[in-house]
Amino acid sequence: MRPHFTRRDVLKAALPAFSLSQLALSAQVSSKAEATKLGMPGLFRGRVVEVSHSGCLNAGKYQAEPVQQMMRAGLNELTGAGGWNDSWRLFAQPGDVVGIKVNPVGAPDIISAPEVLREIIGGLNAAGIKNRDIVVYDRYHDQFIKAGFPQWLPDGVRWMSATKDFDLVQHAIEGYDPDHFMDIGVTLHGYDATNLTARRSYAAKFITREVNKLINLCVLKDHGAAGVTLSLKNLSHGLVNNVNRSHSTKGINVTGAFIPSVVSLPVIRNKAVLHILDAVKGQYQGGPGPVPQFIWEPRTLYFATDPVALDHVGWRAIDEKRLAAGLKIITEAEPDKYIARRIRQPEHIEIAGAMGLGEWDWEKTTVRKIALA
């Protein structure tokens, strides 16, 4: 298999990556949140743990006991704390109110699975967090309900959303905090770039007012604009409003700058302390919505405090699957009936690294692999 990047890839990406970097650096951020050692890239910069278990699926259904084994092995290996309870105590303590950001977009096929979600809740309980101090969240109320999340939650665990459902404009700020925003000079067609509502994305009150820690439960998928949708995009497009402007038409795509600019909001980068990538199932083409013929079963969970290193690993996994399936890697993919854009922007991961959100350099990234069965 050829290397993930060739010299030609780098040359092709150089100009757009440079311009997106400049756009990201021009973004204005208004947000405050206390910086701690748990903020990005967190306690374990450049470290990713990959845990596989052949028995975690049976006829396409998650199996609770193997998932539990994977969760315990992964957290213990990531932290070196010596046990499940001690591992979770590194990230949360009694008195914290902890949010869990899930992803329902690929329902019913590729979503944050209830078996993994329940293990996270159990881990927080082991750290002394009461159910009433755990809040499961996604941005859209209707998607959250339709995916089934409320029925999966243990008694007492709360859930929140920021707005009712997806809309194309997304300028309403009910559910969002006017004191925390990212301002970047891109708007939807028809809106003046001097219009502050049109050029700002406001953070959800969930992340600004309700919780002081966040666990990011993301999924393994490709994406028609961002190239991949992993830990960084689960935060950027799930925790603020006015995201459609980042990829509103076939010709407008600034996800490469938009994603790291949003995640750099202190209220996000300082509160998101742990990222768990559910790759028991994955999708390598046609995302973010489910396309069944492109779903595969890596039967893997990934663990990291560093979202850049994690997303770099996930991107490589998707590209390896694409090559095995006879497709081009994401940076070389041509438009087809599933993906309309000529150029997708997975370089948001590298730009996030350049903005200090984590480790991009592959030579400084450690992937610890555990195969349980």
Side-chain angles (χ1 to χ4, degrees), residues 27 34 50 53 56 73 92 94 103 156 239 249 288 294 310 332 356 368:
E34 181 183 359
E50 173 186 320
H53 194 310
C56 66
N103 188 326
L239 291 174
T249 70
F294 298 126
L310 177 61
E332 294 182 349
R368 303 183 178 187

Side-chain angles (χ1 to χ4, degrees), residues 67-77 84 87 119 303:
V67 167
Q68 182 182 83
Q69 294 171 13
M70 297 165 76
M71 288 289 294
R72 279 156 175 71
L75 259 293
N76 291 347
E77 182 66 23
W84 178 245
S87 291
E119 285 299 313
F303 304 82

Side-chain angles (χ1 to χ4, degrees), residues 240-259:
V240 302
N241 78 325
N242 197 17
V243 303
N244 196 38
R245 63 190 174 124
S246 70
H247 55 294
S248 57
T249 70
K250 292 180 182 179
I252 294 177
N253 184 13
V254 295
T255 51
F258 187 91
I259 293 169

Side-chain angles (χ1 to χ4, degrees), residues 174-217:
E174 183 180 0
Y176 301 92
D177 191 329
D179 294 328
H180 297 264
F181 60 83
M182 186 277 290
D183 185 324
I184 195 169
V186 177
T187 69
L188 295 168
H189 278 304
Y191 290 87
D192 190 327
T194 63
N195 179 333
L196 294 182
T197 300
R199 59 179 290 135
R200 288 179 176 175
S201 290
Y202 294 91
K205 292 177 182 177
F206 157 78
I207 192 65
T208 67
R209 303 182 186 183
E210 296 294 330
V211 302
N212 69 306
K213 300 279 182 64
L214 183 69
I215 310 300
N216 182 15
L217 176 53

